[in-house]
Amino acid sequence: LLDEFEEAEAEDYMTVKRDFESRKPAKQRHPDMEDWTFMPEDPETFFSFEEYTKYREELNYGYENELAEVYEKLLEKPNEMSIDCDDNGNVKVALNSLDNQSGLKGILDNWYSMEPYWKWVAQLYGPEMIERFGGFRIVDPGLLPMGMISLFRSGRVQWQE
């Protein structure tokens, strides 16, 4: 988006500069302008690109992909994108080892039934989890007392390294 903005801005600058250098009368170049009393100090010299872009956040130049439009697009919530998994990779093998586990949430034994968020988590952090813990099953619920499990779920526990 920013590359498109910079290209559009440079293109607009060149168009305005060509119009200025072609010596078209100002009223032809800017028919919508109402106040013609302003005159720059040096009306023969067109300003630099740096001066042209100095107030880009405040002015509306009238071309597509202006900075305000780019900013608004960047504020939009992006669409979730799913990813594929290598069928023979470590992540897929580790997921298959979760088969027949009850109570799984988030990272599941079936890649295709997981939400896109959890697919990304599995792909990004899965190899390190497999290396450190031998798979995605890092806690065996049968080995923890029920009081500890409810304490962990309540969020009152802070892990320290």
Side-chain angles (χ1 to χ4, degrees):
L1 289 175
L2 289 175
D3 290 338
E4 292 173 8
F5 158 71
E6 289 175 344
E7 287 175 22
E9 186 177 53
E11 188 176 308
D12 188 61
Y13 173 77
M14 293 308 295
T15 301
V16 173
K17 185 175 180 179
R18 272 193 303 274
D19 286 350
F20 178 84
E21 290 171 349
S22 71
R23 299 290 186 211
K24 286 184 184 174
K27 287 186 180 182
Q28 269 187 339
R29 290 190 312 244
H30 305 286
D32 55 337
M33 195 167 162
E34 296 174 10
D35 181 19
W36 291 102
T37 58
F38 170 76
M39 186 62 77
E41 289 179 23
D42 184 7
E44 300 301 316
T45 305
F46 193 70
F47 49 91
S48 68
F49 183 71
E50 289 75 25
E51 192 175 354
Y52 179 77
T53 60
K54 190 173 183 177
Y55 298 104
R56 62 170 62 140
E57 301 89 11
E58 299 171 24
L59 298 175
N60 179 3
Y61 291 104
Y63 57 88
E64 280 191 48
N65 294 322
E66 284 193 49
L67 192 57
E69 291 175 28
V70 171
Y71 176 73
E72 288 173 8
K73 286 178 187 174
L74 289 173
L75 288 179
E76 293 174 5
K77 183 179 179 184
N79 297 328
E80 267 189 0
M81 292 179 60
S82 188
I83 56 173
D84 292 325
C85 183
D86 180 12
D87 288 333
N88 299 319
N90 291 342
V91 171
K92 187 72 169 192
V93 171
L95 288 174
N96 289 339
S97 72
L98 293 175
D99 199 18
N100 299 324
Q101 298 291 315
S102 61
L104 292 176
K105 295 180 182 177
I107 296 179
L108 307 173
D109 60 334
N110 183 353
W111 178 264
Y112 301 102
S113 61
M114 281 196 294
E115 295 176 14
Y117 173 82
W118 291 108
K119 289 180 182 181
W120 281 97
V121 170
Q123 278 298 101
L124 287 172
Y125 302 111
E128 185 179 350
M129 289 178 69
I130 294 165
E131 182 182 314
R132 272 184 126 166
F133 305 111
F136 286 108
R137 189 172 174 198
I138 58 175
V139 174
D140 186 358
L143 299 178
L144 288 175
M146 291 306 292
M148 291 294 289
I149 292 174
S150 61
L151 182 67
F152 291 142
R153 287 186 179 156
S154 71
R156 291 180 286 178
V157 176
Q158 292 183 347
W159 297 100
Q160 296 178 351
E161 285 192 42

